[in-house]
Amino acid sequence: MNPFKTSKLLVCVAAPLALAGCGGGSGGPGGPGGPGGALGFTKFPIQAGKTTTIKGNGREAAYTVDQQGFALAPFGASSAVQADVETDADGDIASVSLKTGTTSKTWNGSNADLAYAGNGKLVIGEAKDGSAAIGFADPDANGFSYQTYGAWMTEGASGGKVGAFSMGAETAAADIPSSSTAKFKGTAGGIYANAAGPDVMTADTALDVDFGAKTAQFSTTNTTLQNGGPDANLDMSGNLAIAAGGLSGNVTTADNSMTGTADGRFYGPGAEEVGGTFELRGANGAMAGAYGAVK
């Protein structure tokens, strides 16, 4: 028997983006626990009765599950991701489609349960047959005007794929400040996996950006696992370089047990926000997810 094959796992994999544990208040889009209206982006508003395409970048990896446990393969390089969000005449979300380099999935009223969770901060879609789930941050509820981030998971008889993404209205390279400094604060969420299996992680995130030096100090604090509780050893830090309109660099956990990379993009006409993905691995397991932060 597959010890991780449950729809509860799928929902909990998405839960970090809600900044709350599974089992919190939720309801159908527009219902109890939901914002009751369309998600709003300043540069690409999600309009009632229409389909809005949001583009960005993400990472994904395959995983296997058997009697020996859960094994997560290394994440691939960052690649293009697209989400199509359809709303009904009342502005409530009716369908979410995700397209990556290897995966194309749709969650709608006929094949999935769609709901808001975490006090309306997260939109989740879970396939009724338990085969796939997606969770992404409601921009308004999270204080985002130009971005969202999230995670998704597919599940088969012996494994599937898991991914994280950051998408939105990217700042043109020419509009990124060439001098000055700025501090960004936000949140991060993802999956931590070791020999015992996968767990949901959440954290606060911060970036101290020096546009003149083209560097950004990336860090996370207050890392908490859904099942394991607070774990400061999993806090991350690293120095990211700004180049070609994006960010990239090496990151490590506080206890130096895992190392990896983080990437990012600035969002908004004047680089008011930043978001991206990360992946680390080492002797103590692997951790991957996404983040978003506001100036």
Side-chain angles (χ1 to χ4, degrees):
M1 181 182 70
N2 183 339
F4 301 106
K5 189 174 177 57
T6 66
S7 59
K8 185 68 172 178
L9 172 64
L10 292 175
V11 174
C12 284
V13 166
L17 309 174
L19 309 182
C22 291
S26 65
L39 307 183
F41 290 82
T42 301
K43 287 300 181 181
F44 44 94
I46 296 178
Q47 301 178 34
K50 296 185 178 181
T51 298
T52 302
T53 297
I54 312 170
K55 296 183 178 181
N57 295 273
R59 308 189 196 194
E60 60 187 82
Y63 70 91
T64 57
V65 180
D66 55 27
Q67 292 295 333
Q68 281 67 52
F70 180 98
L72 179 66
F75 271 56
S78 180
S79 59
V81 174
Q82 175 177 311
D84 297 316
V85 180
E86 178 185 352
T87 60
D88 61 22
D90 295 324
D92 297 329
I93 292 175
S95 175
V96 178
S97 296
L98 183 73
K99 299 176 183 177
T100 75
T102 64
T103 301
S104 180
K105 290 287 183 181
T106 297
W107 294 262
N108 57 40
S110 65
N111 67 7
D113 295 318
L114 300 174
Y116 288 98
N119 296 322
K121 288 187 175 182
L122 175 74
V123 181
I124 58 173
E126 183 187 4
K128 293 178 180 178
D129 62 3
S131 63
I134 186 171
F136 62 93
D138 175 344
D140 289 340
N142 287 273
F144 301 150
S145 297
Y146 305 99
Q147 66 168 315
T148 186
Y149 72 91
W152 57 273
M153 184 176 188
T154 64
E155 185 172 3
S158 58
K161 291 186 177 180
V162 63
F165 59 81
S166 170
M167 55 180 63
E170 188 174 335
T171 308
D175 294 331
I176 296 175
S178 58
S179 61
S180 75
T181 61
K183 294 182 180 292
F184 295 79
K185 292 185 178 181
T187 56
I191 299 170
Y192 169 69
N194 59 17
D199 202 348
V200 173
M201 61 78 61
T202 64
D204 297 324
T205 190
L207 291 92
D208 289 340
V209 178
D210 187 329
F211 289 107
K214 298 188 182 304
T215 61
Q217 295 294 326
F218 170 84
S219 64
T220 60
T221 56
N222 301 317
T223 301
T224 301
L225 298 176
Q226 177 72 25
N227 297 320
D231 193 338
N233 287 329
L234 297 180
D235 290 347
M236 296 178 283
S237 63
N239 186 29
L240 310 185
I242 303 173
L247 304 93
S248 63
N250 296 325
V251 292
T252 185
T253 53
D255 64 356
N256 295 312
S257 67
M258 293 188 290
T259 60
T261 60
D263 61 29
R265 299 287 189 277
F266 290 104
Y267 295 109
E272 292 89 349
E273 300 178 12
V274 63
T277 63
F278 56 86
E279 186 213 2
L280 304 87
R281 61 181 54 239
N284 289 348
M287 184 166 65
Y291 68 91
V294 180
K295 188 184 297 184

